[in-house]
Amino acid sequence: MPLRARSNTLATKMSKPNYADLLIRTLKGLPVERTPVWLMRQAGRYMADFRKFSEKYAFRDRSETPEIAIELSLQPWRRFGVDGVILFSDILTPLPAIGIDFTIVPGQGPKILKPLRSGDNIRSLSAIVDTERQVPFLGPTLKALRKETEGRTALIGFIGAPWTLAAYSVEGGHSKLCTKFKRMCLEDPALATLLLEKLADSLCTYASYQIESGAQILQIFESWAHHLSQEQFVLFAKPYAARIARYLKEKHPDVPVVYFANGGSVYLQEQLDLGADALAVDWRISMQQARAVVGADTVLTGNVDPMVLYGSEANIRSAVGKCIEQAGRGGKHVLNLGHGVEKDTPEHAVQIFVDAARELSAV
Protein backbone atom coordinates (compact mmCIF):
# COMPACT_ATOMS: atom_id res chain seq x y z
CA MET A 1 0.00 0.00 0.00
CA PRO A 2 1.40 3.47 -0.92
CA LEU A 3 2.51 5.65 1.98
CA ARG A 4 -0.24 8.23 1.30
CA ALA A 5 -2.91 5.52 1.33
CA ARG A 6 -1.58 4.05 4.57
CA SER A 7 -1.54 7.52 6.14
CA ASN A 8 -5.12 8.22 5.07
CA THR A 9 -6.27 4.86 6.47
CA LEU A 10 -4.55 5.56 9.78
CA ALA A 11 -6.04 9.04 9.95
CA THR A 12 -9.51 7.64 9.32
CA LYS A 13 -9.11 5.11 12.12
CA MET A 14 -7.76 7.73 14.48
CA SER A 15 -10.55 10.21 13.73
CA LYS A 16 -13.42 7.71 13.98
CA PRO A 17 -15.51 8.57 17.08
CA ASN A 18 -15.39 6.13 19.96
CA TYR A 19 -18.89 5.78 21.34
CA ALA A 20 -18.01 3.31 24.10
CA ASP A 21 -18.70 5.86 26.83
CA LEU A 22 -21.32 7.90 24.96
CA LEU A 23 -24.10 6.85 27.30
CA ILE A 24 -22.04 7.56 30.41
CA ARG A 25 -20.96 10.98 29.16
CA THR A 26 -24.54 11.90 28.33
CA LEU A 27 -25.81 10.90 31.76
CA LYS A 28 -23.09 13.05 33.30
CA GLY A 29 -24.39 16.02 31.33
CA LEU A 30 -21.35 16.32 29.07
CA PRO A 31 -21.52 17.43 25.41
CA VAL A 32 -21.84 14.47 23.04
CA GLU A 33 -21.66 13.77 19.30
CA ARG A 34 -25.12 12.21 19.08
CA THR A 35 -27.97 10.98 21.27
CA PRO A 36 -27.24 7.54 22.75
CA VAL A 37 -29.91 4.85 22.54
CA TRP A 38 -30.87 1.70 24.40
CA LEU A 39 -34.23 0.15 25.28
CA MET A 40 -35.76 -0.93 28.55
CA ARG A 41 -36.40 -4.68 28.45
CA GLN A 42 -34.17 -4.88 25.37
CA ALA A 43 -33.30 -8.48 26.28
CA GLY A 44 -36.66 -10.20 25.86
CA ARG A 45 -38.92 -12.66 24.16
CA TYR A 46 -39.35 -10.54 21.04
CA MET A 47 -35.85 -11.79 20.03
CA ALA A 48 -35.63 -15.23 18.42
CA ASP A 49 -32.24 -15.87 20.01
CA PHE A 50 -33.66 -15.04 23.44
CA ARG A 51 -36.54 -17.49 22.97
CA LYS A 52 -34.06 -20.32 22.49
CA PHE A 53 -33.33 -19.91 26.19
CA SER A 54 -36.73 -18.81 27.52
CA GLU A 55 -38.44 -21.84 25.97
CA LYS A 56 -35.95 -24.16 27.63
CA TYR A 57 -35.16 -22.62 31.02
CA ALA A 58 -37.34 -21.04 33.72
CA PHE A 59 -36.78 -17.33 34.35
CA ARG A 60 -34.79 -17.68 37.56
CA ASP A 61 -32.66 -20.41 36.01
CA ARG A 62 -31.79 -17.93 33.28
CA SER A 63 -31.23 -14.88 35.46
CA GLU A 64 -29.35 -16.70 38.22
CA THR A 65 -27.03 -18.77 36.01
CA PRO A 66 -24.14 -16.48 35.04
CA GLU A 67 -23.39 -18.13 31.69
CA ILE A 68 -27.00 -17.70 30.55
CA ALA A 69 -27.51 -14.24 32.05
CA ILE A 70 -24.32 -13.04 30.36
CA GLU A 71 -25.45 -14.29 26.96
CA LEU A 72 -28.94 -12.80 27.27
CA SER A 73 -27.55 -9.46 28.43
CA LEU A 74 -25.26 -9.24 25.40
CA GLN A 75 -27.71 -10.34 22.70
CA PRO A 76 -29.37 -6.93 22.02
CA TRP A 77 -26.01 -5.16 21.87
CA ARG A 78 -24.67 -7.66 19.36
CA ARG A 79 -27.88 -7.67 17.34
CA PHE A 80 -28.82 -3.97 17.26
CA GLY A 81 -25.73 -2.01 18.32
CA VAL A 82 -27.39 -0.25 21.25
CA ASP A 83 -25.21 2.05 23.36
CA GLY A 84 -25.55 0.07 26.57
CA VAL A 85 -25.77 -3.48 27.90
CA ILE A 86 -28.16 -3.88 30.81
CA LEU A 87 -27.82 -6.78 33.19
CA PHE A 88 -30.38 -9.52 32.50
CA SER A 89 -32.08 -9.88 35.85
CA ASP A 90 -35.29 -8.82 37.60
CA ILE A 91 -36.18 -6.15 40.12
CA LEU A 92 -37.27 -8.96 42.49
CA THR A 93 -33.92 -10.78 42.34
CA PRO A 94 -32.62 -9.52 45.74
CA LEU A 95 -35.80 -10.45 47.64
CA PRO A 96 -34.98 -14.10 48.45
CA ALA A 97 -31.80 -12.92 50.19
CA ILE A 98 -33.92 -11.08 52.75
CA GLY A 99 -36.53 -13.80 53.16
CA ILE A 100 -39.08 -13.03 50.42
CA ASP A 101 -39.05 -15.88 47.93
CA PHE A 102 -40.69 -15.63 44.52
CA THR A 103 -41.21 -17.44 41.27
CA ILE A 104 -42.12 -16.31 37.76
CA VAL A 105 -45.22 -18.01 36.40
CA PRO A 106 -45.31 -18.05 32.57
CA GLY A 107 -48.15 -15.89 31.35
CA GLN A 108 -48.85 -14.49 34.81
CA GLY A 109 -45.62 -12.90 35.95
CA PRO A 110 -43.98 -12.80 39.40
CA LYS A 111 -45.61 -14.55 42.36
CA ILE A 112 -44.45 -13.97 45.94
CA LEU A 113 -44.61 -17.37 47.62
CA LYS A 114 -45.45 -16.01 51.09
CA PRO A 115 -46.76 -12.43 50.84
CA LEU A 116 -46.03 -10.10 53.74
CA ARG A 117 -49.33 -9.60 55.54
CA SER A 118 -48.36 -8.98 59.18
CA GLY A 119 -45.99 -7.06 61.35
CA ASP A 120 -44.28 -10.29 62.37
CA ASN A 121 -43.63 -11.11 58.71
CA ILE A 122 -41.98 -7.75 58.17
CA ARG A 123 -40.00 -7.63 61.41
CA SER A 124 -38.54 -11.08 60.72
CA LEU A 125 -36.98 -10.06 57.39
CA SER A 126 -33.22 -10.36 57.04
CA ALA A 127 -30.92 -7.74 55.53
CA ILE A 128 -28.46 -7.92 52.65
CA VAL A 129 -25.11 -7.36 54.32
CA ASP A 130 -22.89 -9.64 52.21
CA THR A 131 -24.13 -9.59 48.62
CA GLU A 132 -21.35 -11.85 47.38
CA ARG A 133 -22.59 -14.59 49.70
CA GLN A 134 -26.32 -13.87 49.65
CA VAL A 135 -26.65 -13.27 45.89
CA PRO A 136 -23.69 -15.36 44.67
CA PHE A 137 -24.46 -15.27 40.93
CA LEU A 138 -24.57 -11.48 40.67
CA GLY A 139 -20.86 -10.67 40.92
CA PRO A 140 -19.63 -13.27 38.40
CA THR A 141 -22.26 -12.15 35.89
CA LEU A 142 -21.42 -8.46 36.12
CA LYS A 143 -17.66 -9.00 36.17
CA ALA A 144 -17.83 -11.11 33.01
CA LEU A 145 -20.08 -8.55 31.32
CA ARG A 146 -17.71 -5.71 32.21
CA LYS A 147 -14.81 -7.68 30.76
CA GLU A 148 -16.76 -8.27 27.55
CA THR A 149 -17.95 -4.67 27.18
CA GLU A 150 -14.88 -2.80 28.44
CA GLY A 151 -13.93 -0.07 25.97
CA ARG A 152 -16.82 -1.05 23.69
CA THR A 153 -20.07 0.02 25.38
CA ALA A 154 -21.52 0.91 28.78
CA LEU A 155 -22.71 -1.62 31.37
CA ILE A 156 -25.97 -0.85 33.18
CA GLY A 157 -27.01 -2.31 36.51
CA PHE A 158 -30.41 -1.80 38.09
CA ILE A 159 -32.65 -2.29 41.09
CA GLY A 160 -36.32 -1.95 41.88
CA ALA A 161 -37.18 0.95 44.18
CA PRO A 162 -38.31 0.20 47.75
CA TRP A 163 -41.97 1.17 47.27
CA THR A 164 -42.34 -1.06 44.22
CA LEU A 165 -40.67 -4.04 45.90
CA ALA A 166 -42.72 -3.52 49.05
CA ALA A 167 -45.91 -3.43 47.00
CA TYR A 168 -44.99 -6.65 45.21
CA SER A 169 -44.11 -8.30 48.52
CA VAL A 170 -47.41 -7.41 50.18
CA GLU A 171 -49.71 -7.86 47.19
CA GLY A 172 -48.13 -11.19 46.24
CA GLY A 173 -47.79 -10.37 42.55
CA HIS A 174 -49.25 -8.08 39.94
CA SER A 175 -52.17 -6.05 41.24
CA LYS A 176 -54.70 -3.88 39.47
CA LEU A 177 -55.23 -1.49 42.38
CA CYS A 178 -52.45 -2.35 44.85
CA THR A 179 -55.13 -2.48 47.51
CA LYS A 180 -53.31 -4.35 50.26
CA PHE A 181 -50.13 -2.29 50.39
CA LYS A 182 -51.85 1.04 49.85
CA ARG A 183 -54.17 0.19 52.71
CA MET A 184 -51.13 -0.56 54.87
CA CYS A 185 -49.58 2.78 53.91
CA LEU A 186 -52.76 4.66 54.75
CA GLU A 187 -53.92 2.76 57.86
CA ASP A 188 -50.65 1.55 59.37
CA PRO A 189 -47.98 3.89 58.01
CA ALA A 190 -45.51 2.90 60.74
CA LEU A 191 -45.54 -0.70 59.55
CA ALA A 192 -45.30 0.32 55.90
CA THR A 193 -42.39 2.61 56.78
CA LEU A 194 -40.61 -0.21 58.59
CA LEU A 195 -40.81 -2.37 55.46
CA LEU A 196 -39.67 0.48 53.20
CA GLU A 197 -36.72 1.24 55.46
CA LYS A 198 -35.64 -2.39 55.57
CA LEU A 199 -35.79 -2.64 51.80
CA ALA A 200 -33.95 0.65 51.29
CA ASP A 201 -31.09 -0.44 53.54
CA SER A 202 -30.65 -3.75 51.70
CA LEU A 203 -31.00 -2.16 48.29
CA CYS A 204 -28.22 0.34 49.08
CA THR A 205 -25.89 -2.60 49.67
CA TYR A 206 -27.18 -4.57 46.68
CA ALA A 207 -26.91 -1.63 44.25
CA SER A 208 -23.47 -0.65 45.48
CA TYR A 209 -22.26 -4.21 44.97
CA GLN A 210 -23.40 -4.05 41.35
CA ILE A 211 -21.19 -1.02 40.83
CA GLU A 212 -18.29 -2.66 42.62
CA SER A 213 -18.73 -5.66 40.31
CA GLY A 214 -18.54 -3.59 37.14
CA ALA A 215 -21.79 -1.69 36.50
CA GLN A 216 -21.02 1.79 35.14
CA ILE A 217 -24.59 3.12 35.43
CA LEU A 218 -27.28 2.24 37.97
CA GLN A 219 -30.97 2.65 37.15
CA ILE A 220 -33.66 2.62 39.86
CA PHE A 221 -37.02 1.34 38.65
CA GLU A 222 -40.15 2.58 40.41
CA SER A 223 -42.27 0.25 38.28
CA TRP A 224 -45.48 0.72 40.27
CA ALA A 225 -45.44 4.51 40.50
CA HIS A 226 -48.71 4.55 38.55
CA HIS A 227 -50.47 3.37 41.72
CA LEU A 228 -49.44 6.51 43.62
CA SER A 229 -50.91 9.96 43.86
CA GLN A 230 -48.47 12.85 44.07
CA GLU A 231 -48.91 13.07 47.85
CA GLN A 232 -48.45 9.32 48.29
CA PHE A 233 -45.32 9.41 46.12
CA VAL A 234 -43.81 12.12 48.30
CA LEU A 235 -44.63 10.22 51.51
CA PHE A 236 -43.97 6.58 50.62
CA ALA A 237 -41.77 6.34 47.52
CA LYS A 238 -39.56 9.36 47.10
CA PRO A 239 -37.74 9.34 50.48
CA TYR A 240 -36.57 5.74 50.09
CA ALA A 241 -35.52 6.01 46.46
CA ALA A 242 -33.72 9.24 47.37
CA ARG A 243 -31.89 7.48 50.21
CA ILE A 244 -30.50 4.96 47.72
CA ALA A 245 -29.59 7.56 45.11
CA ARG A 246 -27.74 9.69 47.63
CA TYR A 247 -25.99 6.69 49.16
CA LEU A 248 -24.73 5.66 45.73
CA LYS A 249 -23.62 9.17 44.79
CA GLU A 250 -21.71 9.48 48.05
CA LYS A 251 -20.03 6.09 47.68
CA HIS A 252 -19.64 6.07 43.87
CA PRO A 253 -19.69 9.74 42.79
CA ASP A 254 -18.57 9.04 39.22
CA VAL A 255 -21.32 6.51 38.48
CA PRO A 256 -24.51 8.01 37.02
CA VAL A 257 -27.77 7.12 38.76
CA VAL A 258 -31.02 7.16 36.75
CA TYR A 259 -34.52 7.13 38.26
CA PHE A 260 -37.57 5.87 36.37
CA ALA A 261 -41.05 6.23 37.84
CA ASN A 262 -43.39 4.36 35.50
CA GLY A 263 -46.61 6.34 35.48
CA GLY A 264 -44.97 9.06 37.54
CA SER A 265 -44.66 11.67 34.82
CA VAL A 266 -47.67 13.46 36.32
CA TYR A 267 -45.47 14.41 39.28
CA LEU A 268 -42.18 14.71 37.43
CA GLN A 269 -41.38 17.94 39.27
CA GLU A 270 -41.25 16.01 42.55
CA GLN A 271 -38.37 13.92 41.21
CA LEU A 272 -35.99 16.79 40.51
CA ASP A 273 -34.45 16.81 44.00
CA LEU A 274 -34.38 13.05 44.41
CA GLY A 275 -30.60 12.95 43.92
CA ALA A 276 -30.40 11.12 40.58
CA ASP A 277 -28.22 12.26 37.70
CA ALA A 278 -31.00 11.65 35.18
CA LEU A 279 -34.74 11.08 35.10
CA ALA A 280 -36.35 8.54 32.81
CA VAL A 281 -39.86 9.49 31.74
CA ASP A 282 -42.72 7.30 30.63
CA TRP A 283 -44.65 7.65 27.36
CA ARG A 284 -47.66 9.35 28.98
CA ILE A 285 -46.06 12.79 28.81
CA SER A 286 -44.64 14.45 25.71
CA MET A 287 -40.91 14.95 25.78
CA GLN A 288 -41.57 18.63 25.11
CA GLN A 289 -43.63 18.91 28.29
CA ALA A 290 -41.10 16.87 30.27
CA ARG A 291 -38.32 19.21 29.17
CA ALA A 292 -40.42 22.22 30.14
CA VAL A 293 -40.96 20.76 33.62
CA VAL A 294 -37.35 19.86 34.38
CA GLY A 295 -35.56 22.63 32.50
CA ALA A 296 -32.65 22.60 30.09
CA ASP A 297 -29.99 21.28 32.48
CA THR A 298 -31.59 18.00 33.60
CA VAL A 299 -30.70 14.84 31.69
CA LEU A 300 -33.80 12.99 30.50
CA THR A 301 -34.16 9.49 29.08
CA GLY A 302 -37.06 8.12 27.07
CA ASN A 303 -39.77 8.27 26.05
CA VAL A 304 -41.17 6.85 22.78
CA ASP A 305 -44.40 4.87 23.23
CA PRO A 306 -43.51 1.15 22.83
CA MET A 307 -46.61 0.77 20.63
CA VAL A 308 -44.84 2.82 17.96
CA LEU A 309 -42.65 -0.22 17.28
CA TYR A 310 -45.66 -2.05 15.86
CA GLY A 311 -45.97 0.60 13.14
CA SER A 312 -44.31 1.44 9.86
CA GLU A 313 -40.68 2.41 9.40
CA ALA A 314 -41.77 5.94 8.57
CA ASN A 315 -43.75 6.25 11.80
CA ILE A 316 -40.94 4.82 13.90
CA ARG A 317 -38.45 7.25 12.40
CA SER A 318 -40.88 10.11 12.85
CA ALA A 319 -41.40 9.28 16.55
CA VAL A 320 -37.65 9.01 17.10
CA GLY A 321 -36.95 12.31 15.40
CA LYS A 322 -39.73 14.09 17.29
CA CYS A 323 -38.52 12.81 20.65
CA ILE A 324 -34.93 13.84 19.94
CA GLU A 325 -35.94 17.32 18.77
CA GLN A 326 -38.18 17.92 21.78
CA ALA A 327 -35.51 16.73 24.23
CA GLY A 328 -32.75 18.75 22.60
CA ARG A 329 -29.64 17.73 20.72
CA GLY A 330 -26.03 17.58 21.80
CA GLY A 331 -26.54 16.13 25.27
CA LYS A 332 -29.02 15.98 28.16
CA HIS A 333 -31.00 13.17 26.48
CA VAL A 334 -30.83 9.40 26.08
CA LEU A 335 -33.30 7.96 23.61
CA ASN A 336 -35.30 5.08 25.03
CA LEU A 337 -38.85 3.86 25.14
CA GLY A 338 -41.33 5.14 27.70
CA HIS A 339 -41.64 1.57 28.99
CA GLY A 340 -40.20 -1.84 28.09
CA VAL A 341 -40.17 -3.58 24.71
CA GLU A 342 -43.28 -5.75 24.39
CA LYS A 343 -42.84 -9.49 23.85
CA ASP A 344 -44.30 -9.58 20.33
CA THR A 345 -42.50 -6.50 18.99
CA PRO A 346 -40.97 -7.21 15.55
CA GLU A 347 -37.18 -7.46 15.80
CA HIS A 348 -36.69 -5.38 12.67
CA ALA A 349 -38.63 -2.53 14.31
CA VAL A 350 -36.08 -2.34 17.12
CA GLN A 351 -33.32 -2.13 14.53
CA ILE A 352 -35.14 0.70 12.75
CA PHE A 353 -35.50 2.50 16.10
CA VAL A 354 -31.79 2.19 16.92
CA ASP A 355 -30.63 3.10 13.42
CA ALA A 356 -32.93 6.14 13.33
CA ALA A 357 -31.51 7.35 16.64
CA ARG A 358 -27.99 7.33 15.20
CA GLU A 359 -28.96 8.93 11.91
CA LEU A 360 -31.28 11.63 13.20
CA SER A 361 -29.42 12.77 16.31
CA ALA A 362 -25.96 13.61 15.07
CA VAL A 363 -24.95 17.13 16.08
Side-chain angles (χ1 to χ4, degrees):
M1 182 185 294
L3 179 59
R4 181 183 297 274
R6 288 200 301 270
S7 299
N8 288 341
T9 301
L10 179 60
T12 299
K13 289 181 179 179
M14 292 179 65
S15 61
K16 185 178 180 180
N18 180 5
Y19 293 128
D21 64 346
L22 180 69
L23 180 57
I24 298 169
R25 286 187 283 127
T26 302
L27 292 173
K28 290 183 175 182
L30 301 174
V32 291
E33 305 84 357
R34 64 168 174 83
T35 301
V37 55
W38 69 278
L39 299 86
M40 290 185 283
R41 210 186 296 139
Q42 64 187 20
R45 285 177 288 172
Y46 73 98
M47 293 186 67
D49 286 343
F50 182 95
R51 292 195 297 273
K52 294 175 183 177
F53 291 85
S54 64
E55 292 170 358
K56 185 176 181 181
Y57 302 102
F59 179 87
R60 287 189 62 180
D61 290 334
R62 283 175 275 141
S63 63
E64 298 179 15
T65 303
E67 294 78 7
I68 299 176
I70 292 162
E71 170 61 23
L72 296 179
S73 301
L74 293 171
Q75 283 180 352
W77 174 55
R78 293 170 177 158
R79 171 72 170 81
F80 306 114
V82 288
D83 292 306
V85 168
I86 186 166
L87 169 71
F88 177 73
S89 185
D90 192 86
I91 61 172
L92 304 186
T93 293
L95 292 183
I98 65 173
I100 307 170
D101 207 0
F102 76 96
T103 188
I104 305 286
V105 179
Q108 298 181 39
K111 296 292 181 183
I112 303 298
L113 300 185
K114 293 182 179 180
L116 304 178
R117 299 286 167 78
S118 71
D120 288 343
N121 291 157
I122 292 170
R123 283 185 285 271
S124 67
L125 293 176
S126 304
I128 295 179
V129 293
D130 183 353
T131 314
E132 186 172 6
R133 176 182 60 82
Q134 293 173 275
V135 194
F137 49 85
L138 182 64
T141 301
L142 281 165
K143 289 171 184 176
L145 284 171
R146 180 62 182 270
K147 183 177 181 181
E148 181 71 22
T149 58
E150 185 68 42
R152 305 169 74 188
T153 194
L155 179 58
I156 307 163
F158 72 93
I159 60 169
W163 195 88
T164 291
L165 295 193
Y168 259 115
S169 301
V170 173
E171 295 293 327
H174 288 302
S175 173
K176 183 178 181 180
L177 298 176
C178 197
T179 306
K180 295 179 179 65
F181 188 53
K182 289 189 74 172
R183 183 178 297 170
M184 183 186 294
C185 290
L186 297 172
E187 297 185 359
D188 194 350
L191 184 59
T193 296
L194 176 63
L195 175 56
L196 291 164
E197 289 176 343
K198 280 177 169 283
L199 286 167
D201 289 344
S202 286
L203 287 166
C204 283
T205 303
Y206 179 72
S208 181
Y209 181 77
Q210 290 191 39
I211 295 170
E212 291 162 2
S213 298
Q216 297 166 287
I217 297 160
L218 198 291
Q219 181 148 327
I220 302 171
F221 284 88
E222 194 71 86
S223 302
W224 282 20
H226 59 286
H227 286 300
L228 293 165
S229 69
Q230 181 171 333
E231 181 180 8
Q232 290 164 354
F233 173 78
V234 171
L235 288 173
F236 298 110
K238 180 178 177 178
Y240 307 98
R243 181 191 301 186
I244 297 169
R246 289 167 182 156
Y247 175 88
L248 294 176
K249 293 309 299 181
E250 181 176 342
K251 194 169 184 183
H252 309 281
D254 293 330
V255 174
V257 174
V258 184
Y259 180 71
F260 174 53
N262 178 41
S265 54
V266 293
Y267 40 78
L268 184 59
Q269 71 279 5
E270 297 289 358
Q271 301 165 39
L272 286 169
D273 60 349
L274 192 139
D277 296 280
L279 298 176
V281 290
D282 60 49
W283 54 268
R284 296 168 180 85
I285 187 173
S286 72
M287 184 56 76
Q288 182 177 33
Q289 180 63 23
R291 177 57 73 197
V293 170
V294 305
D297 294 331
T298 299
V299 179
L300 290 172
T301 90
N303 72 330
V304 174
D305 185 345
M307 298 301 103
V308 167
L309 297 182
Y310 292 108
S312 66
E313 177 174 355
N315 283 341
I316 294 171
R317 290 178 61 86
S318 175
V320 167
K322 184 177 181 180
C323 187
I324 290 170
E325 289 298 331
Q326 291 184 354
R329 295 173 179 270
K332 311 295 187 184
H333 178 226
V334 175
L335 185 71
N336 207 313
L337 298 176
H339 199 260
V341 182
E342 292 295 330
K343 63 182 179 181
D344 57 348
T345 298
E347 279 193 57
H348 73 270
V350 174
Q351 189 68 71
I352 292 168
F353 181 87
V354 174
D355 290 346
R358 292 198 198 94
E359 296 165 15
L360 301 176
S361 69
V363 179

